[in-house]
Amino acid sequence: MTIFELVKHLERQAKPKQHVTIRQLPAHPATFGTLTPPLPEALLDALERSGTERLYIHQTQAIEAVRRGEHVGLFTPAASGKTLCYNLPI
């Protein structure tokens, strides 16, 4: 089943009062952020060793929100770095 067939299947399965919106968003270049204050040097070294040179903007925004004591919910595609958003502040 292709993704398009799956989408059509989900649309057909929607209940009468259920609203289903499916959008395909165009790709766009990655945007990166900077943490203030920066992460401790040990964490920066560990990230670099794992192949992460910079944090995406959604990661820096989430980490800064956690630092302020705010609740954070992340809804991003797979492999977008959500795990770092809650592991790095810890």
Side-chain angles (χ1 to χ4, degrees):
M1 179 179 287
T2 68
I3 188 67
F4 299 108
E5 291 169 334
L6 175 62
V7 167
K8 290 297 178 192
H9 172 75
L10 292 174
E11 287 174 333
R12 286 191 300 271
Q13 298 301 314
K15 295 177 181 159
K17 292 186 178 184
Q18 186 177 15
H19 179 75
V20 176
T21 301
I22 298 172
R23 296 183 296 158
Q24 183 174 355
L25 302 175
H28 57 83
T31 53
F32 300 96
T34 304
L35 285 172
T36 304
L39 294 170
E41 197 65 35
L43 283 179
L44 292 173
D45 291 343
L47 286 172
E48 189 173 311
R49 284 193 306 274
S50 72
T52 302
E53 297 177 13
R54 298 183 286 177
L55 295 174
Y56 294 116
I57 189 76
H58 72 275
Q59 292 171 311
T60 58
Q61 291 171 339
I63 292 167
E64 288 179 347
V66 169
R67 286 175 169 177
R68 291 189 300 271
E70 298 174 19
H71 297 282
V72 176
L74 293 167
F75 306 92
T76 62
S80 64
K82 292 182 288 292
T83 300
L84 289 177
C85 294
Y86 63 83
N87 280 339
L88 289 176
I90 293 171

